[in-house]
Amino acid sequence: MEKQLIISLGREFGSAGHEIAQMLATHYGLPLYDHNLLRKIAEERAVAENGNTTEDELFPRKVKYVSSSPQDAVVKMQFDYLKRKAESGESFVVVGRCSEHVLKAYPGLITIFILGDMDCKVERIKRIYELDEDEAIELIRLKDRKRKAYHNSYCEGKWGDSRNYELSINSSKLGLEGTFKILCDYIDSRVAPDTEG
């Protein structure tokens, strides 16, 4: 791929956003960065050698001489890692991690938010986690509250606000394959060579 392509995908819990991100990564032959970021950071920094990683190595108490909570330090490490990858010219897919905000300076960035109808999300979560309806609803609400709080603590724009993404799409309307196809069409159009002279 000649042009850099960074696909940033935010999602509601139960919308199949993570699965769609995996499909996009496979389709475009790109690495996927998600909850695996901490492991990749640890590997890159070689702090996990011989299983002797200390908490202070993964969660430093100071970030650029400013006192920081372990969570803030981890968030900063993830943001810095994504920026380094983008700065190096690498193309990749990233799920969450405030990436639509953190990587907004890079012209190859395409920002997407996946949402879904509550009844469809509930059915999906019931099936995947073997929960009853009330448990599925509670889990969806809990996960989305956490995502919203995390995002809104570190970003200017609000989580899920369509104005912060190029494209917001309801995966319940066309299903996984249909949503994936629409996203591929959009991404292909965005990365197509400019033929206007």
Side-chain angles (χ1 to χ4, degrees):
M1 188 172 295
E2 293 178 16
K3 285 184 179 178
Q4 184 180 39
L5 172 61
I6 302 170
I7 302 171
S8 162
L9 198 144
R11 76 283 183 225
E12 292 179 344
F13 189 71
S15 67
H18 193 275
E19 190 171 343
I20 291 167
Q22 290 173 316
M23 293 166 71
L24 291 171
T26 299
H27 178 75
Y28 290 104
L30 301 177
L32 174 67
Y33 298 130
D34 52 11
H35 53 270
N36 64 6
L37 266 184
L38 282 180
R39 188 183 73 247
K40 290 187 178 297
I41 292 167
E43 288 168 358
E44 186 177 88
R45 295 175 64 172
V47 296
E49 285 182 14
N50 303 320
N52 292 327
T53 307
T54 67
E55 184 178 322
D56 287 339
E57 287 173 304
L58 280 176
F59 308 108
R61 300 294 184 230
K62 290 184 179 282
V63 178
K64 288 193 176 180
Y65 308 106
V66 177
S67 181
S68 176
S69 71
Q71 178 178 320
D72 289 342
V74 170
V75 168
K76 184 182 184 316
M77 283 192 295
Q78 292 182 78
F79 290 176
D80 288 347
Y81 181 88
L82 292 173
K83 287 177 185 175
R84 282 197 308 276
K85 291 295 180 182
E87 190 61 36
S88 74
E90 182 180 320
S91 292
F92 54 90
V93 177
V94 57
V95 177
R97 279 64 196 167
C98 301
S99 50
E100 86 287 348
H101 173 74
V102 172
L103 302 174
K104 65 183 176 183
Y106 298 92
L109 178 68
I110 295 177
T111 58
I112 298 164
F113 192 84
I114 308 287
L115 59 143
D117 294 340
M118 189 60 156
D119 59 336
C120 294
K121 293 188 296 183
V122 167
E123 287 306 312
R124 179 177 174 78
I125 295 307
K126 280 169 59 178
R127 184 179 71 252
I128 292 171
Y129 294 96
E130 299 180 356
L131 301 174
D132 66 30
E133 184 155 338
D134 290 340
E135 291 170 329
I137 291 169
E138 183 54 35
L139 184 59
I140 290 167
R141 289 178 175 160
L142 174 67
K143 291 284 193 177
D144 281 348
R145 274 197 308 269
K146 286 184 175 182
R147 287 178 182 173
K148 182 177 182 179
Y150 170 88
H151 184 281
N152 293 353
S153 294
Y154 296 103
C155 299
E156 294 168 7
K158 300 299 182 188
W159 179 78
D161 185 335
S162 62
R163 291 168 293 190
N164 298 319
Y165 309 91
E166 290 178 46
L167 184 64
S168 293
I169 188 165
N170 185 331
S171 61
S172 302
K173 303 306 181 190
L174 296 175
L176 233 61
E177 289 297 330
T179 302
F180 169 71
K181 183 181 180 304
I182 292 290
L183 293 178
C184 287
D185 288 346
Y186 180 80
I187 292 164
D188 292 346
S189 296
R190 278 275 276 108
V191 299
D194 186 1
T195 55
E196 292 183 11

Short mmCIF file of all heavy atoms in Angstrom, two decimals, residues 19-71:
data_model
loop_
_atom_site.label_atom_id
_atom_site.label_comp_id
_atom_site.label_asym_id
_atom_site.label_seq_id
_atom_site.Cartn_x
_atom_site.Cartn_y
_atom_site.Cartn_z
N GLU A 19 -15.08 -6.91 15.87
CA GLU A 19 -15.04 -7.92 14.81
C GLU A 19 -14.91 -7.27 13.44
O GLU A 19 -14.17 -7.75 12.56
CB GLU A 19 -16.30 -8.78 14.87
CG GLU A 19 -16.23 -10.00 13.97
CD GLU A 19 -17.39 -10.96 14.19
OE1 GLU A 19 -18.06 -10.87 15.24
OE2 GLU A 19 -17.61 -11.79 13.30
N ILE A 20 -15.60 -6.16 13.23
CA ILE A 20 -15.49 -5.43 11.97
C ILE A 20 -14.08 -4.89 11.80
O ILE A 20 -13.50 -4.94 10.69
CB ILE A 20 -16.55 -4.31 11.90
CG1 ILE A 20 -17.95 -4.94 11.78
CG2 ILE A 20 -16.27 -3.36 10.74
CD1 ILE A 20 -19.10 -3.98 12.01
N ALA A 21 -13.46 -4.41 12.88
CA ALA A 21 -12.07 -3.93 12.81
C ALA A 21 -11.14 -5.07 12.40
O ALA A 21 -10.23 -4.88 11.59
CB ALA A 21 -11.65 -3.35 14.16
N GLN A 22 -11.37 -6.27 12.95
CA GLN A 22 -10.56 -7.43 12.57
C GLN A 22 -10.74 -7.77 11.10
O GLN A 22 -9.76 -8.09 10.40
CB GLN A 22 -10.94 -8.64 13.43
CG GLN A 22 -10.52 -8.51 14.88
CD GLN A 22 -11.05 -9.65 15.74
OE1 GLN A 22 -12.21 -10.04 15.64
NE2 GLN A 22 -10.19 -10.18 16.60
N MET A 23 -11.96 -7.67 10.61
CA MET A 23 -12.23 -7.93 9.19
C MET A 23 -11.51 -6.92 8.31
O MET A 23 -10.93 -7.28 7.28
CB MET A 23 -13.75 -7.90 8.94
CG MET A 23 -14.51 -9.03 9.61
SD MET A 23 -16.31 -8.76 9.65
CE MET A 23 -16.74 -8.98 7.92
N LEU A 24 -11.53 -5.66 8.71
CA LEU A 24 -10.84 -4.61 7.94
C LEU A 24 -9.33 -4.83 7.95
O LEU A 24 -8.67 -4.70 6.91
CB LEU A 24 -11.19 -3.23 8.50
CG LEU A 24 -12.62 -2.76 8.30
CD1 LEU A 24 -12.89 -1.48 9.10
CD2 LEU A 24 -12.92 -2.52 6.81
N ALA A 25 -8.79 -5.18 9.11
CA ALA A 25 -7.34 -5.43 9.21
C ALA A 25 -6.93 -6.58 8.30
O ALA A 25 -5.93 -6.50 7.58
CB ALA A 25 -6.96 -5.71 10.66
N THR A 26 -7.72 -7.65 8.30
CA THR A 26 -7.43 -8.80 7.44
C THR A 26 -7.55 -8.42 5.97
O THR A 26 -6.68 -8.73 5.15
CB THR A 26 -8.39 -9.96 7.77
OG1 THR A 26 -8.20 -10.34 9.13
CG2 THR A 26 -8.13 -11.15 6.87
N HIS A 27 -8.62 -7.73 5.63
CA HIS A 27 -8.87 -7.34 4.24
C HIS A 27 -7.74 -6.48 3.67
O HIS A 27 -7.32 -6.68 2.53
CB HIS A 27 -10.21 -6.59 4.15
CG HIS A 27 -10.55 -6.10 2.79
ND1 HIS A 27 -11.00 -6.94 1.79
CD2 HIS A 27 -10.50 -4.85 2.24
CE1 HIS A 27 -11.22 -6.23 0.69
NE2 HIS A 27 -10.92 -4.96 0.94
N TYR A 28 -7.28 -5.52 4.46
CA TYR A 28 -6.24 -4.59 3.98
C TYR A 28 -4.82 -5.06 4.33
O TYR A 28 -3.85 -4.39 3.99
CB TYR A 28 -6.50 -3.18 4.52
CG TYR A 28 -7.72 -2.54 3.88
CD1 TYR A 28 -8.91 -2.45 4.57
CD2 TYR A 28 -7.67 -2.07 2.57
CE1 TYR A 28 -10.04 -1.89 3.99
CE2 TYR A 28 -8.78 -1.51 1.98
CZ TYR A 28 -9.96 -1.41 2.69
OH TYR A 28 -11.08 -0.86 2.10
N GLY A 29 -4.71 -6.20 5.02
CA GLY A 29 -3.40 -6.73 5.38
C GLY A 29 -2.64 -5.84 6.35
O GLY A 29 -1.43 -5.64 6.22
N LEU A 30 -3.37 -5.31 7.33
CA LEU A 30 -2.78 -4.36 8.28
C LEU A 30 -2.76 -4.94 9.69
O LEU A 30 -3.63 -5.73 10.05
CB LEU A 30 -3.61 -3.06 8.30
CG LEU A 30 -3.75 -2.31 6.98
CD1 LEU A 30 -4.66 -1.11 7.15
CD2 LEU A 30 -2.38 -1.89 6.45
N PRO A 31 -1.79 -4.51 10.51
CA PRO A 31 -1.82 -4.91 11.92
C PRO A 31 -3.00 -4.26 12.63
O PRO A 31 -3.44 -3.17 12.25
CB PRO A 31 -0.49 -4.40 12.48
CG PRO A 31 0.00 -3.38 11.53
CD PRO A 31 -0.61 -3.69 10.19
N LEU A 32 -3.50 -4.94 13.65
CA LEU A 32 -4.61 -4.44 14.45
C LEU A 32 -4.11 -4.13 15.84
O LEU A 32 -3.53 -4.98 16.51
CB LEU A 32 -5.73 -5.49 14.52
CG LEU A 32 -6.91 -5.17 15.43
CD1 LEU A 32 -7.71 -3.98 14.90
CD2 LEU A 32 -7.81 -6.39 15.58
N TYR A 33 -4.31 -2.89 16.28
CA TYR A 33 -3.95 -2.50 17.63
C TYR A 33 -5.23 -2.29 18.43
O TYR A 33 -6.09 -1.51 18.07
CB TYR A 33 -3.10 -1.22 17.63
CG TYR A 33 -1.80 -1.38 16.89
CD1 TYR A 33 -1.40 -0.47 15.92
CD2 TYR A 33 -0.95 -2.46 17.16
CE1 TYR A 33 -0.20 -0.62 15.24
CE2 TYR A 33 0.24 -2.62 16.49
CZ TYR A 33 0.62 -1.70 15.53
OH TYR A 33 1.80 -1.87 14.87
N ASP A 34 -5.32 -3.02 19.53
CA ASP A 34 -6.50 -2.92 20.39
C ASP A 34 -6.05 -3.11 21.83
O ASP A 34 -5.12 -2.45 22.29
CB ASP A 34 -7.58 -3.92 19.96
CG ASP A 34 -7.04 -5.35 19.84
OD1 ASP A 34 -5.91 -5.62 20.28
OD2 ASP A 34 -7.77 -6.22 19.32
N HIS A 35 -6.65 -4.05 22.56
CA HIS A 35 -6.24 -4.31 23.93
C HIS A 35 -4.85 -4.93 24.00
O HIS A 35 -4.28 -5.05 25.08
CB HIS A 35 -7.26 -5.23 24.62
CG HIS A 35 -7.54 -6.48 23.85
ND1 HIS A 35 -8.55 -6.54 22.91
CD2 HIS A 35 -6.94 -7.68 23.86
CE1 HIS A 35 -8.55 -7.75 22.37
NE2 HIS A 35 -7.59 -8.46 22.92
N ASN A 36 -4.29 -5.30 22.84
CA ASN A 36 -2.95 -5.88 22.80
C ASN A 36 -1.84 -4.82 22.89
O ASN A 36 -0.66 -5.17 22.93
CB ASN A 36 -2.75 -6.70 21.52
CG ASN A 36 -2.83 -5.84 20.24
OD1 ASN A 36 -2.92 -4.62 20.30
ND2 ASN A 36 -2.83 -6.50 19.10
N LEU A 37 -2.21 -3.56 22.95
CA LEU A 37 -1.20 -2.49 22.93
C LEU A 37 -0.20 -2.58 24.09
O LEU A 37 0.99 -2.37 23.90
CB LEU A 37 -1.87 -1.12 22.96
CG LEU A 37 -2.12 -0.46 21.61
CD1 LEU A 37 -2.69 0.92 21.79
CD2 LEU A 37 -0.88 -0.42 20.75
N LEU A 38 -0.68 -2.87 25.29
CA LEU A 38 0.24 -2.93 26.43
C LEU A 38 1.29 -4.02 26.25
O LEU A 38 2.46 -3.82 26.57
CB LEU A 38 -0.52 -3.14 27.74
CG LEU A 38 -1.20 -1.91 28.31
CD1 LEU A 38 -1.91 -2.27 29.61
CD2 LEU A 38 -0.23 -0.78 28.53
N ARG A 39 0.85 -5.15 25.72
CA ARG A 39 1.82 -6.23 25.46
C ARG A 39 2.84 -5.80 24.42
O ARG A 39 4.04 -6.03 24.56
CB ARG A 39 1.09 -7.50 25.00
CG ARG A 39 2.03 -8.70 24.91
CD ARG A 39 1.34 -9.95 24.39
NE ARG A 39 1.08 -9.83 22.96
CZ ARG A 39 -0.12 -9.74 22.40
NH1 ARG A 39 -1.19 -9.77 23.15
NH2 ARG A 39 -0.27 -9.64 21.11
N LYS A 40 2.39 -5.12 23.38
CA LYS A 40 3.30 -4.67 22.33
C LYS A 40 4.27 -3.62 22.87
O LYS A 40 5.44 -3.62 22.52
CB LYS A 40 2.51 -4.12 21.14
CG LYS A 40 1.78 -5.22 20.38
CD LYS A 40 1.16 -4.68 19.13
CE LYS A 40 0.48 -5.79 18.35
NZ LYS A 40 1.40 -6.82 17.87
N ILE A 41 3.77 -2.74 23.73
CA ILE A 41 4.64 -1.73 24.34
C ILE A 41 5.69 -2.41 25.21
O ILE A 41 6.88 -2.08 25.16
CB ILE A 41 3.82 -0.72 25.17
CG1 ILE A 41 2.95 0.13 24.24
CG2 ILE A 41 4.72 0.16 26.03
CD1 ILE A 41 1.87 0.93 24.94
N ALA A 42 5.25 -3.39 26.00
CA ALA A 42 6.19 -4.12 26.86
C ALA A 42 7.24 -4.84 26.03
O ALA A 42 8.43 -4.81 26.36
CB ALA A 42 5.44 -5.11 27.74
N GLU A 43 6.81 -5.45 24.94
CA GLU A 43 7.77 -6.14 24.07
C GLU A 43 8.75 -5.16 23.46
O GLU A 43 9.96 -5.41 23.42
CB GLU A 43 7.02 -6.89 22.96
CG GLU A 43 6.27 -8.11 23.45
CD GLU A 43 5.31 -8.67 22.40
OE1 GLU A 43 5.20 -8.09 21.29
OE2 GLU A 43 4.66 -9.69 22.72
N GLU A 44 8.23 -4.04 22.99
CA GLU A 44 9.08 -3.03 22.35
C GLU A 44 10.10 -2.47 23.33
O GLU A 44 11.24 -2.22 23.00
CB GLU A 44 8.21 -1.90 21.79
CG GLU A 44 8.98 -0.88 20.98
CD GLU A 44 8.07 0.17 20.40
OE1 GLU A 44 7.83 1.18 21.09
OE2 GLU A 44 7.59 -0.03 19.26
N ARG A 45 9.67 -2.26 24.55
CA ARG A 45 10.57 -1.69 25.56
C ARG A 45 11.39 -2.76 26.27
O ARG A 45 12.21 -2.44 27.13
CB ARG A 45 9.74 -0.90 26.57
CG ARG A 45 9.08 0.31 25.91
CD ARG A 45 8.16 1.02 26.86
NE ARG A 45 8.91 1.57 27.98
CZ ARG A 45 8.40 2.37 28.89
NH1 ARG A 45 7.14 2.70 28.82
NH2 ARG A 45 9.13 2.81 29.88
N ALA A 46 11.13 -4.03 25.92
CA ALA A 46 11.87 -5.16 26.49
C ALA A 46 11.81 -5.18 28.00
O ALA A 46 12.75 -5.56 28.68
CB ALA A 46 13.32 -5.13 26.01
N VAL A 47 10.67 -4.79 28.55
CA VAL A 47 10.53 -4.82 30.00
C VAL A 47 10.04 -6.17 30.49
O VAL A 47 10.01 -6.41 31.69
CB VAL A 47 9.56 -3.71 30.51
CG1 VAL A 47 10.11 -2.34 30.23
CG2 VAL A 47 8.17 -3.89 29.93
N ALA A 48 9.62 -7.03 29.55
CA ALA A 48 9.08 -8.31 29.95
C ALA A 48 10.12 -9.44 29.90
O ALA A 48 9.77 -10.60 30.02
CB ALA A 48 7.89 -8.67 29.07
N GLU A 49 11.39 -9.10 29.71
CA GLU A 49 12.42 -10.12 29.62
C GLU A 49 12.50 -10.95 30.90
O GLU A 49 12.49 -10.41 31.99
CB GLU A 49 13.78 -9.48 29.35
CG GLU A 49 13.94 -9.00 27.93
CD GLU A 49 15.32 -8.40 27.67
OE1 GLU A 49 16.22 -8.59 28.51
OE2 GLU A 49 15.47 -7.75 26.64
N ASN A 50 12.56 -12.26 30.73
CA ASN A 50 12.72 -13.19 31.85
C ASN A 50 11.60 -13.10 32.87
O ASN A 50 11.76 -13.53 34.01
CB ASN A 50 14.06 -12.99 32.54
CG ASN A 50 15.22 -13.14 31.57
OD1 ASN A 50 15.19 -14.02 30.72
ND2 ASN A 50 16.20 -12.28 31.69
N GLY A 51 10.48 -12.48 32.51
CA GLY A 51 9.35 -12.38 33.43
C GLY A 51 9.62 -11.50 34.63
O GLY A 51 8.95 -11.60 35.65
N ASN A 52 10.57 -10.58 34.51
CA ASN A 52 10.94 -9.73 35.65
C ASN A 52 10.36 -8.33 35.55
O ASN A 52 10.90 -7.40 36.12
CB ASN A 52 12.47 -9.63 35.76
CG ASN A 52 13.08 -10.96 36.16
OD1 ASN A 52 12.46 -11.72 36.90
ND2 ASN A 52 14.28 -11.23 35.68
N THR A 53 9.29 -8.18 34.82
CA THR A 53 8.67 -6.87 34.69
C THR A 53 8.16 -6.40 36.05
O THR A 53 7.48 -7.13 36.75
CB THR A 53 7.49 -6.93 33.71
OG1 THR A 53 7.95 -7.50 32.50
CG2 THR A 53 6.92 -5.56 33.47
N THR A 54 8.49 -5.18 36.40
CA THR A 54 7.98 -4.62 37.65
C THR A 54 6.83 -3.67 37.34
O THR A 54 6.72 -3.17 36.22
CB THR A 54 9.07 -3.83 38.41
OG1 THR A 54 9.40 -2.67 37.63
CG2 THR A 54 10.30 -4.69 38.64
N GLU A 55 6.02 -3.41 38.33
CA GLU A 55 4.92 -2.48 38.14
C GLU A 55 5.44 -1.11 37.76
O GLU A 55 4.86 -0.41 36.93
CB GLU A 55 4.07 -2.39 39.41
CG GLU A 55 2.85 -1.51 39.22
CD GLU A 55 1.98 -1.45 40.45
OE1 GLU A 55 1.81 -2.47 41.13
OE2 GLU A 55 1.46 -0.36 40.72
N ASP A 56 6.55 -0.69 38.35
CA ASP A 56 7.09 0.63 38.05
C ASP A 56 7.54 0.76 36.60
O ASP A 56 7.53 1.84 36.04
CB ASP A 56 8.27 0.96 38.98
CG ASP A 56 7.79 1.28 40.40
OD1 ASP A 56 6.61 1.63 40.55
OD2 ASP A 56 8.60 1.16 41.33
N GLU A 57 7.96 -0.35 35.99
CA GLU A 57 8.37 -0.29 34.59
C GLU A 57 7.17 -0.10 33.68
O GLU A 57 7.24 0.63 32.69
CB GLU A 57 9.11 -1.58 34.20
CG GLU A 57 10.51 -1.66 34.80
CD GLU A 57 11.14 -3.01 34.53
OE1 GLU A 57 10.52 -4.04 34.90
OE2 GLU A 57 12.24 -3.04 33.96
N LEU A 58 6.06 -0.76 33.99
CA LEU A 58 4.88 -0.62 33.16
C LEU A 58 4.04 0.59 33.54
O LEU A 58 3.37 1.17 32.71
CB LEU A 58 4.02 -1.89 33.25
CG LEU A 58 4.47 -3.05 32.39
CD1 LEU A 58 3.60 -4.26 32.66
CD2 LEU A 58 4.47 -2.72 30.92
N PHE A 59 4.07 0.96 34.81
CA PHE A 59 3.24 2.06 35.29
C PHE A 59 4.11 3.09 36.01
O PHE A 59 4.07 3.18 37.23
CB PHE A 59 2.16 1.55 36.24
CG PHE A 59 1.36 0.43 35.66
CD1 PHE A 59 1.50 -0.87 36.11
CD2 PHE A 59 0.46 0.68 34.65
CE1 PHE A 59 0.75 -1.90 35.57
CE2 PHE A 59 -0.30 -0.35 34.10
CZ PHE A 59 -0.15 -1.63 34.56
N PRO A 60 4.91 3.86 35.28
CA PRO A 60 5.75 4.84 35.94
C PRO A 60 4.91 5.88 36.68
O PRO A 60 3.80 6.19 36.27
CB PRO A 60 6.51 5.49 34.78
CG PRO A 60 5.70 5.20 33.57
CD PRO A 60 4.97 3.93 33.83
N ARG A 61 5.47 6.38 37.77
CA ARG A 61 4.72 7.34 38.59
C ARG A 61 4.82 8.77 38.07
O ARG A 61 4.08 9.64 38.46
CB ARG A 61 5.25 7.32 40.04
CG ARG A 61 5.12 5.96 40.69
CD ARG A 61 3.67 5.58 40.87
NE ARG A 61 3.55 4.33 41.58
CZ ARG A 61 2.82 3.32 41.19
NH1 ARG A 61 2.11 3.40 40.09
NH2 ARG A 61 2.76 2.21 41.88
N LYS A 62 5.77 9.02 37.18
CA LYS A 62 5.90 10.36 36.62
C LYS A 62 5.95 10.27 35.11
O LYS A 62 6.52 9.37 34.54
CB LYS A 62 7.19 11.02 37.12
CG LYS A 62 7.15 11.39 38.60
CD LYS A 62 8.40 12.13 38.99
CE LYS A 62 8.38 12.51 40.45
NZ LYS A 62 7.56 13.65 40.73
N VAL A 63 5.28 11.22 34.48
CA VAL A 63 5.31 11.33 33.04
C VAL A 63 5.82 12.72 32.71
O VAL A 63 5.18 13.71 33.04
CB VAL A 63 3.89 11.14 32.45
CG1 VAL A 63 3.93 11.30 30.95
CG2 VAL A 63 3.33 9.78 32.84
N LYS A 64 7.01 12.80 32.10
CA LYS A 64 7.64 14.09 31.79
C LYS A 64 7.68 14.98 33.03
O LYS A 64 7.30 16.14 32.98
CB LYS A 64 6.91 14.78 30.64
CG LYS A 64 7.15 14.10 29.31
CD LYS A 64 6.69 14.98 28.19
CE LYS A 64 7.04 14.33 26.87
NZ LYS A 64 6.64 15.12 25.72
N TYR A 65 8.10 14.41 34.13
CA TYR A 65 8.30 15.14 35.38
C TYR A 65 7.01 15.63 36.02
O TYR A 65 7.02 16.44 36.92
CB TYR A 65 9.27 16.32 35.18
CG TYR A 65 10.55 15.89 34.53
CD1 TYR A 65 10.82 16.19 33.21
CD2 TYR A 65 11.47 15.12 35.23
CE1 TYR A 65 11.99 15.76 32.60
CE2 TYR A 65 12.64 14.68 34.63
CZ TYR A 65 12.89 15.01 33.32
OH TYR A 65 14.03 14.57 32.72
N VAL A 66 5.89 15.15 35.55
CA VAL A 66 4.60 15.50 36.14
C VAL A 66 4.06 14.26 36.82
O VAL A 66 3.99 13.20 36.22
CB VAL A 66 3.61 16.01 35.07
CG1 VAL A 66 2.26 16.29 35.69
CG2 VAL A 66 4.16 17.24 34.37
N SER A 67 3.67 14.39 38.07
CA SER A 67 3.13 13.25 38.79
C SER A 67 1.91 12.72 38.05
O SER A 67 1.09 13.48 37.56
CB SER A 67 2.74 13.67 40.21
OG SER A 67 2.23 12.56 40.90
N SER A 68 1.82 11.41 37.98
CA SER A 68 0.75 10.81 37.20
C SER A 68 0.25 9.55 37.87
O SER A 68 1.00 8.81 38.48
CB SER A 68 1.29 10.47 35.80
OG SER A 68 0.32 9.81 35.05
N SER A 69 -1.03 9.29 37.71
CA SER A 69 -1.58 8.04 38.20
C SER A 69 -1.13 6.92 37.26
O SER A 69 -0.79 7.18 36.10
CB SER A 69 -3.11 8.11 38.22
OG SER A 69 -3.61 8.10 36.90
N PRO A 70 -1.15 5.68 37.74
CA PRO A 70 -0.81 4.57 36.84
C PRO A 70 -1.67 4.56 35.58
O PRO A 70 -1.17 4.31 34.49
CB PRO A 70 -1.05 3.33 37.71
CG PRO A 70 -0.81 3.81 39.11
CD PRO A 70 -1.34 5.23 39.12
N GLN A 71 -2.96 4.85 35.71
CA GLN A 71 -3.84 4.84 34.53
C GLN A 71 -3.40 5.91 33.53
O GLN A 71 -3.34 5.65 32.33
CB GLN A 71 -5.29 5.07 34.92
CG GLN A 71 -6.20 5.13 33.68
CD GLN A 71 -7.65 5.30 34.00
OE1 GLN A 71 -8.15 4.71 34.93
NE2 GLN A 71 -8.34 6.10 33.21
#
